[in-house]
Amino acid sequence: MRSFYRPISFFWLFGFWAHEANAFSTYIPGRQGHAAFLLGKRVSRSHAIFSTTLESPIIKESNVRGNLDHDNNNKNGKQKIVLVAGFESFNREQYLQAAAALGDQVELQVFADSDIRLDLSVIQQQERLHQSNNEVSASNNKVDPLVDNTINPIFREAVLQADVFVGSLLFDYDDVQAVLRLLPAVKGPRLLFECATELMEFNQVGSFNMKPSSDGSAPGPPPAIKAILSKFGSGKEEDKLAGYIKLLKVGPDLLKFVPGDKAADLRTWLECYRFWNQGGQRNVQSMLQLLAKRSELDRSMQHDEGSFVKAVLDKLPPVQVTPDVGLIHPVRYRDQSTRTTSPFFDSPASYMAWRTSPAAIESAQRQGFKLADVKTAPIVAVLLYRKHVITEQKYILDLLTMMEEQGIVPVPVFINGVEAHTIVRDWLTSAEEMRQVATGKIKRAGTHDATKAVKVDAIVNTIGFPLVGGPAGSMQAGRDTAVAEELLSAMNVPYFVAGPLLLQSIPVWKDKGVLGLNSVVLYGLPELDGAIDTVVLGGLVGDKIALVPERVRKLTSRIKSWVELRKTPPKDRRVAISVYGFPPNVGAVGTAALLDVPHSLDRLLRQMAKQGYDLGNYVNDPDASGESIIAALSVLSEPAVIALGADRMGEALQRKIARAQAGDETVNAALALPGAGLGGGEVVAKDVSSDELEKTIGKYMYKKVRRAWSEKERGPGVSRNGDSVVAGIQIGNVFIFVQPLLGVEGDPMRLLFERDLTPHPQYIATYANLQKRPESAFPSDAIIHFGMHGTAEWLPGQPLGNDKKSWSDELIGALPNLYVYAANNPSESILAKRRGYGTLISHSVPPYGRAGLYQDLALLRELTSEYRENAASGDMEKNSIELCQTIYDTANRCGMLNDVPLWADHDDKSNPITTTELPDTLSSEAFGSWVSELSTYLSVLQERLFSSGLHVFGGVPSDDALDSYLEAFYGDKFSSEQRQNVISQWKKQPKDTEKNPFAQFFEFFSDLFAPKDQDKVKTEEEKMQEEAMSIVSLLGRSYEEVDSLLNGLGGGYILPKPGGDLLRDGPAVLPTGRNIHALDPYRMPSAGAWLRGQKAAQEIIRQHREANKGKYPETVAVTLWGLDAIKTRGESVAIVLALVGAKPVKEGTGRIVRYDLIPLEELGRPRVDVLASLSGIFRDSFANVVDLLDDMFERAASADEPESMNFIKKHSNELIADGTSERTAARLFSNPPGDFGSMVNEVVGTADWEDDELLGETWRGRNVYSYGRNERGGDVAGTARPEVLDKLLATTERIVQEVDSVEYGLSDIQEYYANTGALKKAAENRKEVDAATGKRKKVSLSVIEAFGNGGDDNVPVRDVEEVLRLEYRSKLLNPKWRDAMLAQGSGGAYEVSQRMTAMIGWAATAQVDNFVFDQAAERYALDEDVAKQLQRSNPEAFKNVVRRLLEAAGRGMWSTNEDTLGKLRELYAEADDIVEQGSSPATVARAR
């Protein structure tokens, strides 16, 4: 059911004459989501003609040879036609009926693309039978294009005996390759409609064909036709494909007047194409009849082209034509009284004239059809696929009927697929577009027809794909997104994509989520245009497309909410804002990664007030602040306060405020301000009983909640009466709350073993009370999730393609969800967008700083410089023993000897000096060489980048911040003077247009397409100057972050932008304030990533062999994360390929369709086995890459190569020998389907673990699921394969992790140790114990820092311990970094706190040097001033800092003296008292 691909290459009509269009057809890599879903397993059903089943999968060569000698001259006179329906399986019955109507003229065999090749299990059965019968011989290695045990023999024999071959909509790489092997044997007409480029070249009717000419150019049409080609279309590049459709109508008629055989043959092909394109049984019948006549002519001994033209072509029945574009409505279509006229409308204006007429109302009443009220209902443009309209697919009218019933007036325009942008441009307008035209801010295209256009409130695209070019535009994803952005931003209405799955059955979707290509069509490609709120409306039931009514209601409810948001005046809009507080008890309330939440919140509220939102007295209160709001929310989040119940929470907060104003230093100082700094904000709270919760979410969902959370297990979040407590601060019409915890802290293992766990009842109650219901505590028009990131999008449910049982779908409901997200995280933001219906608003990253050198490190720099200066001047006498000893002592104190060992003999790296005193035997040459290496290391450390502080949402960077961005981006290539000059020039530029994003946008496009001075050649310095100016100008527009959010709150369109890293991508990811998206998944790895990945793999192997006496690693584990894959364009994937010895293969459009094995003689080394550890986001977002990798591993495991040169095959065979019978080549492992994360960070966070081996086993238990196209034919999203994973872990000798950005280093976030560190521990758990040491063998972890613009030559590979030391020295232990964080208040204190927790995780899974703990204690706990500042701004964060230091000592990770431990215990007791004051039962009782 993949007919949506029909328009992909209709340009082949005349595309073989038009080189400018030759990039639009493609293969569809992978089998997942294929027609096997609707037709069952391959060769599992009978065909229209063949009712036989496959008795034996063994293909005998003699049978094939017999087919080759077959004479196609059928004695019964019937012309044998083989038709492969490809992605239009729903037309199968129509084709057969048309053939039956022709009687004895045609014998038609119809195949689906799923029938072309055998299922993997059948192929494996063949191989086993061959091996058991000893039928394998050297002759099997000979390549015969017609003997391929992957091709279904029934299909092959049918093709070899065919007189005519017709193929439509064939794109899968393997299917195409199979068909290509067979097509040369078809001597009669071969017609391929809208297939892959390579197949299109096999089109042939008589003398006409589409093969490229010998000089590489395509054959061209007669000059007269060529001239006419240019007359079709608007002349715009984006309209060319639509112009070809217009040409289709007249092309065959034009050829009537062109003499010659070639013109007649071309005319035959075009007539057939036109019949096929228009569809319907009569047209198909005419096509088959024409092909039969043409086949007879080809076999005739008396070939008379002229007679054929007169007798056949000139007497063809007229094509039954339906409009290429038009409008449809169920009432008009079903009205029998209008059957004498067309059931379609020719413009939106004529449609709306009818829709508002008494005739339409009368007809609807007569049919019992419920029409929406045109006066009040949203008017929504709905783009439909024409092929489905003309073939009368039932779901089309059902969808429109349900939309009307739900109170939406659809404007349903059907298109071929490529004209979507022309409909928006020429036939639609909006209130915003009309306003901008009236004020002269924009100018409409000349093709816009005001007499045909109608005003709409939203646009829904049910076809998917990009707006410009549709399926054809997907071949160069993003090429025309600028045109789409221009059109949609001018409209400034929500742009939705929603449709049924055309490659997947409803049961499979509900069981496994959206798989494979479906995800690209409905999600990946439309997101490039800024599409939001994708809803899966249904899928396949057999060969038919069916809707799920509840999903249609979900779509309509969300459309209505967005439109209502726009129509509601700002002063009446009620907005909920969610901040975060996870993990609990560590000062996390009101924090988000890289974002200063309190100050950002304050800025947003003040801007909202300026826009007319009701913010009470907030903006008039000089003491009102975001810090005060967060402090108040922290109080409301305390378990003891929640236990009081809703009625007492306000009173508890007032008690805290009174204490703060009385000078109590144990309470956050922000509450000591007049009015507590809340700007008149008040506590809004509600107790939600179990009965009310059940009533709100329904019996089915509540049953799951009750099963997961008994009354005794509910823990925090409930009052003493057992009610779930919903609470927050209301300021005018804005409600700010802390997103509740998902579950009970302290029991993370429950999440591991209870797959059906639901969110905590308080969590559910909170979101339920934001919905617009009379009983809700704060019925909202929209919600803002403030920062990266919340948890709603991570809730249990479908991995992709929400259904009603998905918790994120249930809780977000119909609320428009504006989600503030860091621009450099296009990976996790995908979940917010797809599972949480988040419209993303990106924000910039904080400024960068250089680590510099400090304290002992600065002293060490001075000492080494002195030593080297003395040596350079020849005055070695000054380099006394005392100076050398001082350098050595200082280096030792800094932990430098691990990074730069001092060797007794510089040529012998096996004997480092570890004594306290320098040995007398140490030569001055060896010491001098060491000092030189030490100096180099200090230079590297000094230049390390870090994020300096946190970003304020909507804040324009200061001059110093702008300088830091440029310095980080260019390094020493751009001097300080040049940077300051650029910033100065930018500040002098007028900023008028910056206050209008639309004007800025269109000015940009005017400049882009303006004529350029081609004669001027710019120097590299001038180019750099312009690029720097661009970066500064775009960073200077970060105020658009707030502007875009406010536009979203007004129901507007948010411009899209790729997410990414400024240091790597430069201006491409700016400005912020955009709806960020990921990259095209079919181009991974990119060319640059492939080069870097190869170099990284070579270095990994080199380092391993150097450390292991020349041995190659048998297995290397590589982590594949969505974030680094997106930002590096697939470097981690390239590393996997390079280790295995494979390379990406591209088809004609540049899309990657296979990873081919490099021959061993070319590779020159063994194939390294790879355990690919997939993050849940990579697994779900790059399903096509997962399929291609899985296919590569299967082929590698079965390659005819010796095990000594192929470790994949070796380990696969060993598994088979051990009794594993299934998927021994499975190498792609991840969490259970729909789940995310290893849960190791939860275990570490609670400190609830005995030994570090448990962390490895926790990871293993969460990552035992295998993925790929060969998991039961691609019908399964994941299968537990513990025996295969254990084998790979046991053989893993090295692990590879890429770090993709400065902001997210190994030591900065929990995910690295929780996944990669725990993977390391899981592998080590399976190593043998060394008798000499009593310990298991260590597994190396190689870290590749893949950020920055260092170029392809800069691919450093370091051990994890080395990287950790670099990071700790440049960030956590660095006073410059510390002070920047302390300046951020509570948010900065939390950043310190979470890094201390991560340090424990790394100490458990790898190694953290003792000096790191020493200096961390000195910097944050034992420094009295710093400790007070931390404690004052965030008591819980400071308590966690001290707690982690004590935990490290208690677990033996840190060796320190008893005096230090005593001081830390005193600090912890004090911190614990401070945190507990006001939260203990006694204090709560006093609060009464």
Side-chain angles (χ1 to χ4, degrees), residues 723-803:
D723 294 333
S724 296
V725 180
V726 178
I729 301 294
Q730 182 172 344
I731 304 174
N733 276 342
V734 175
F735 177 70
I736 308 167
F737 68 99
V738 178
Q739 189 178 58
L741 302 181
L742 283 175
V744 176
E745 192 221 0
D747 192 13
M749 298 304 287
R750 181 179 183 189
L751 295 176
L752 173 61
F753 296 111
E754 296 190 20
R755 292 278 289 108
D756 293 329
L757 191 65
T758 73
H760 190 275
Q762 184 204 21
Y763 193 103
I764 300 169
T766 298
Y767 276 89
N769 273 273
L770 301 178
Q771 304 296 329
K772 299 188 78 172
R773 303 185 182 100
E775 67 275 13
S776 291
F778 190 86
S780 306
D781 294 298
I783 184 172
I784 299 171
H785 283 91
F786 208 71
M788 181 178 71
H789 56 72
T791 52
E793 63 270 23
W794 301 80
L795 297 177
Q798 295 285 22
L800 182 62
N802 287 342
D803 62 8

Side-chain angles (χ1 to χ4, degrees), residues 524-764:
L525 293 172
E527 286 167 1
L528 302 178
D529 294 330
I532 63 170
D533 287 12
T534 299
V535 178
V536 175
L537 299 180
L540 298 172
V541 176
D543 280 2
K544 303 300 180 184
I545 306 167
L547 298 178
V548 176
E550 181 274 327
R551 288 292 85 191
V552 179
R553 291 194 294 273
K554 169 62 68 173
L555 171 66
T556 56
S557 68
R558 294 201 62 78
I559 293 172
K560 286 160 65 176
S561 293
W562 277 101
V563 174
E564 186 177 345
L565 192 60
R566 170 173 286 280
K567 293 183 177 181
T568 301
K571 65 181 180 64
D572 297 326
R573 291 177 192 154
R574 295 171 62 84
V575 180
I577 301 177
S578 171
V579 298
Y580 315 125
F582 181 84
N585 306 322
V586 292
V589 172
T591 62
L594 308 179
L595 188 68
D596 181 344
V597 173
H599 291 93
S600 298
L601 182 61
D602 181 74
R603 179 183 291 271
L604 174 63
L605 295 178
R606 295 182 186 281
Q607 288 297 112
M608 290 176 70
K610 289 181 181 179
Q611 294 290 322
Y613 288 80
D614 181 356
L615 268 299
N617 193 47
Y618 188 85
V619 294
N620 298 319
D621 184 346
D623 297 307
S625 74
E627 284 282 6
S628 296
I629 296 172
I630 297 303
L633 290 173
S634 297
V635 174
L636 300 182
S637 300
E638 294 173 5
V641 174
I642 294 173
L644 295 172
D647 292 342
R648 297 267 182 183
M649 296 185 81
E651 182 182 345
L653 176 59
Q654 289 302 318
R655 293 277 184 175
K656 276 287 184 81
I657 292 171
R659 286 171 50 196
Q661 292 175 342
D664 188 340
E665 292 189 357
T666 65
V667 183
N668 194 309
L671 294 177
L673 296 169
L678 297 178
E682 298 180 344
V683 174
V684 170
K686 179 184 178 181
D687 292 330
V688 180
S689 68
S690 297
D691 290 343
E692 183 178 342
L693 191 61
E694 179 179 7
K695 179 182 176 183
T696 302
I697 65 174
K699 292 184 180 296
Y700 175 81
M701 297 298 269
Y702 186 72
K703 182 179 179 182
K704 297 171 73 172
V705 175
R706 191 171 62 245
R707 186 167 59 242
W709 302 98
S710 69
E711 297 291 338
K712 295 180 180 180
E713 292 180 302
R714 294 194 173 179
V718 297
S719 70
R720 289 175 177 173
N721 296 327
D723 294 333
S724 296
V725 180
V726 178
I729 301 294
Q730 182 172 344
I731 304 174
N733 276 342
V734 175
F735 177 70
I736 308 167
F737 68 99
V738 178
Q739 189 178 58
L741 302 181
L742 283 175
V744 176
E745 192 221 0
D747 192 13
M749 298 304 287
R750 181 179 183 189
L751 295 176
L752 173 61
F753 296 111
E754 296 190 20
R755 292 278 289 108
D756 293 329
L757 191 65
T758 73
H760 190 275
Q762 184 204 21
Y763 193 103
I764 300 169

Side-chain angles (χ1 to χ4, degrees), residues 1240-1295:
V1240 173
N1241 49 324
E1242 278 82 356
V1243 176
V1244 171
T1246 61
D1248 187 19
W1249 53 283
E1250 293 298 326
D1251 57 67
D1252 51 17
E1253 287 193 3
L1254 173 67
L1255 303 183
E1257 295 314 292
T1258 301
W1259 180 92
R1260 184 260 189 194
R1262 289 285 296 171
N1263 285 273
V1264 77
Y1265 282 79
S1266 164
Y1267 291 83
R1269 67 191 291 179
N1270 295 303
E1271 286 298 336
R1272 302 181 190 172
D1275 293 357
V1276 175
T1279 306
R1281 302 195 183 280
E1283 66 287 346
V1284 180
L1285 178 59
D1286 286 341
K1287 175 68 174 180
L1288 294 170
L1289 288 171
T1291 58
T1292 292
E1293 299 173 78
R1294 188 170 291 266
I1295 298 164

Side-chain angles (χ1 to χ4, degrees), residues 879-938:
N879 288 336
S880 62
I881 294 175
E882 289 77 10
L883 176 59
C884 294
Q885 185 66 48
T886 302
I887 293 174
Y888 179 73
D889 290 344
T890 307
N892 198 11
R893 195 164 57 247
C894 294
M896 281 293 177
L897 296 183
N898 286 324
D899 298 288
V900 189
L902 174 57
W903 309 101
D905 181 350
H906 192 66
D907 295 326
D908 180 6
K909 304 296 185 183
S910 62
N911 187 23
I913 294 173
T914 57
T915 57
T916 305
E917 302 292 330
L918 287 173
D920 296 335
T921 57
L922 181 67
S923 68
S924 60
E925 290 79 8
F927 189 82
S929 179
W930 174 70
V931 169
S932 179
E933 292 178 8
L934 195 59
S935 180
T936 300
Y937 181 88
L938 289 171

Side-chain angles (χ1 to χ4, degrees), residues 478-489:
R479 193 189 79 158
D480 292 318
T481 55
V483 175
E485 291 170 23
E486 181 181 7
L487 295 173
L488 293 172
S489 62

Side-chain angles (χ1 to χ4, degrees), residues 511-527:
D511 187 38
K512 304 299 179 186
V514 177
L515 303 173
L517 182 62
N518 293 286
S519 67
V520 180
V521 171
L522 279 182
Y523 292 89
L525 293 172
E527 286 167 1

